[in-house]
Amino acid sequence: MVTIQLQNLVNFVADVFAHAESSPEEAKRIATYLTTANLTGHDSHGVIRVPVYIRWKKMGSVVPDQTVELVVDTPSLAVVDGKFGYGQTVTPQAVAIGIEKCKASGLAAVALRNAGHIGRVGDWAEMAAAEGLVSIHFVNAAGSLLVAPFGGVQKRLSTAPYCVGIPRQGQDPIVLDFATSIVAEGKVLVASRGGKKLPKGALIDSDGSLSEDPAVLYGPHSAEGTRDYTQGTGAIRAFGEHNGSGLALICELLGGALTGTGATAPDRRFANGMFAVYVDPKVVDTSNFFDGEISRYVDFIRATKPVAGVDAVLIPGDPERKMRAERTKNGVPLPDDTWAAIVNTAREVGVSEVSIQRAVS
């Protein structure tokens, strides 16, 4: 393991993207969002993505410094084309449109199409919650065949994330953010680079056998080599048997088909689609009941007697808050293989050895 101090990591990752034709503003924004994912313990959506993003940039799959196109614009609904810009650039533009419309109308929906990898979906729920809004997000990844539907062994779904954010007065929001697969693809990536091992039976091979070996998804691979899920014989499993598989299908249809990104298919260009609904509680909750009832019910849940071996019953966001505080203070731990892959990518785009050494100092 190597541990990188927070600001050093942000600066280094920003340097990588600045050397890959992103403006300084975009480079810093991408670095900040990726590092925030690591801070919250979502390493699968953190800086481990740097080599993947730069590879996509070289392939032309993602385009730096894009400004979204407003395809449909009504008082309460927008369709936004990200034009294959980095997700960390085009998604906040789309969310800002949703926030503005919701504040004007009390309710809004935004269909974002053709975005680069949007990262941790919880970031966008938190952005809305900071403005006092509830938000619900259905996401897909066109062209990203990773997950076998319930009862099958072949890749047919993306990891199809689902997220809900609920604001609280004077407190951190409640954010539920998960892939509809047992693990996100990034967690398989983390495991393949020496990080946390996969849960038992997270993957399924073509013969129906369950596995935790990343080679089932990626095929044979070297420590610092690329990871290509098209080379593996197996797939990630949907969580919750038929329930998770069904929710994944809904995310594909709303996040993909409805937005115009397209539900995932082997011949589609990679892009995230996100269908998001925004609600202003102040408009719905005329008696000011909502926030107090949240507090009452959260306390009721946390007061549950825990099972043996569990310290306390948690609500969504509790583990992230604890991890964020710890890693902000002590730095972000990265497996050696992960750091080596990032450094190799940095060298490929022309980042200096001085910058590399400064990151670990």
Side-chain angles (χ1 to χ4, degrees):
M1 276 291 183
V2 58
T3 299
I4 313 294
Q5 294 305 305
L6 172 59
Q7 197 56 55
N8 286 359
L9 187 58
V10 172
N11 292 341
F12 178 67
V13 172
D15 199 10
V16 173
F17 286 98
H19 277 80
E21 301 181 17
S22 285
S23 66
E25 294 78 15
E26 177 173 76
K28 183 67 173 291
R29 185 168 52 248
I30 296 171
T32 300
Y33 277 120
L34 291 181
T35 305
T36 297
N38 286 103
L39 287 182
T40 55
H42 292 262
D43 295 329
S44 58
H45 288 65
V47 297
I48 195 171
R49 295 281 179 171
V50 171
V52 180
Y53 281 17
I54 296 300
R55 185 169 76 247
W56 285 342
K57 159 60 179 61
K58 291 179 177 179
M59 293 167 55
S61 298
V62 67
V63 183
D65 290 297
Q66 287 286 52
T67 299
V68 300
E69 177 186 351
L70 203 54
V71 180
V72 175
D73 185 15
T74 79
S76 60
L77 173 68
V79 179
V80 179
D81 195 325
K83 299 188 292 186
F84 300 98
Y86 279 109
Q88 292 79 6
T89 290
V90 300
T91 314
Q93 294 177 46
V95 175
I97 291 169
I99 290 170
E100 181 182 6
K101 289 184 180 298
C102 184
K103 286 188 170 182
S105 303
L107 177 69
V110 175
L112 171 63
R113 66 174 62 156
N114 301 330
H117 186 257
I118 66 175
R120 186 177 76 95
V121 186
D123 284 329
W124 318 122
E126 288 174 0
M127 182 176 171
E131 298 294 328
L133 305 181
V134 172
S135 62
I136 306 167
H137 307 256
F138 300 89
V139 182
N140 92 313
S144 182
L145 288 172
L146 290 163
V147 180
F150 176 66
V153 298
Q154 293 177 298
K155 304 179 185 83
R156 288 292 185 271
L157 301 158
S158 68
T159 55
Y162 172 77
C163 180
V164 177
I166 299 175
R168 300 187 66 187
Q169 295 177 15
Q171 298 186 56
D172 290 335
I174 295 172
V175 176
L176 176 69
D177 176 15
F178 57 80
T180 50
S181 49
I182 289 179
V183 292
E185 188 264 336
K187 293 189 185 300
V188 187
L189 181 62
V190 168
S192 77
R193 294 201 182 280
K196 184 178 179 181
K197 295 185 181 301
L198 297 175
K200 187 173 179 60
L203 308 177
I204 186 167
D205 214 337
S206 57
D207 62 359
S209 60
L210 304 185
S211 177
E212 305 81 54
D213 183 358
V216 167
L217 186 67
Y218 296 129
H221 51 271
S222 62
E224 295 180 11
T226 59
R227 306 291 190 264
D228 184 352
Y229 60 80
T230 68
Q231 301 304 305
T233 56
I236 307 172
R237 296 173 64 213
F239 87 93
E241 306 298 342
H242 59 285
N243 294 315
S245 186
L247 182 55
L249 176 65
I250 297 303
C251 288
E252 289 284 354
L253 298 181
L254 295 182
L258 182 61
T259 63
T261 303
T264 196
D267 57 348
R268 292 195 187 280
R269 179 176 177 177
F270 176 87
N272 277 143
M274 182 172 77
F275 182 72
V277 179
Y278 302 89
V279 182
D280 189 342
K282 293 192 298 295
V283 176
V284 178
D285 178 32
T286 57
S287 61
N288 200 29
F289 176 73
F290 184 51
D291 194 68
E293 183 67 358
I294 292 174
S295 295
R296 183 201 68 79
Y297 196 62
V298 165
D299 290 345
F300 183 57
I301 294 295
R302 284 184 170 144
T304 308
K305 180 181 178 181
V307 300
V310 172
D311 293 333
V313 174
L314 305 178
I315 64 165
D318 284 345
E320 287 85 352
R321 274 185 288 276
K322 180 179 179 181
M323 185 67 74
R324 188 191 294 255
E326 177 186 316
R327 290 186 171 182
T328 298
K329 177 181 178 181
N330 299 321
V332 176
L334 300 171
D336 291 337
D337 288 351
T338 297
W339 180 241
I342 296 169
V343 168
N344 285 344
T345 298
R347 289 176 174 139
E348 287 173 7
V349 298
V351 173
S352 71
E353 292 300 318
V354 171
S355 180
I356 294 169
Q357 291 305 313
R358 187 183 299 122
V360 295
S361 63

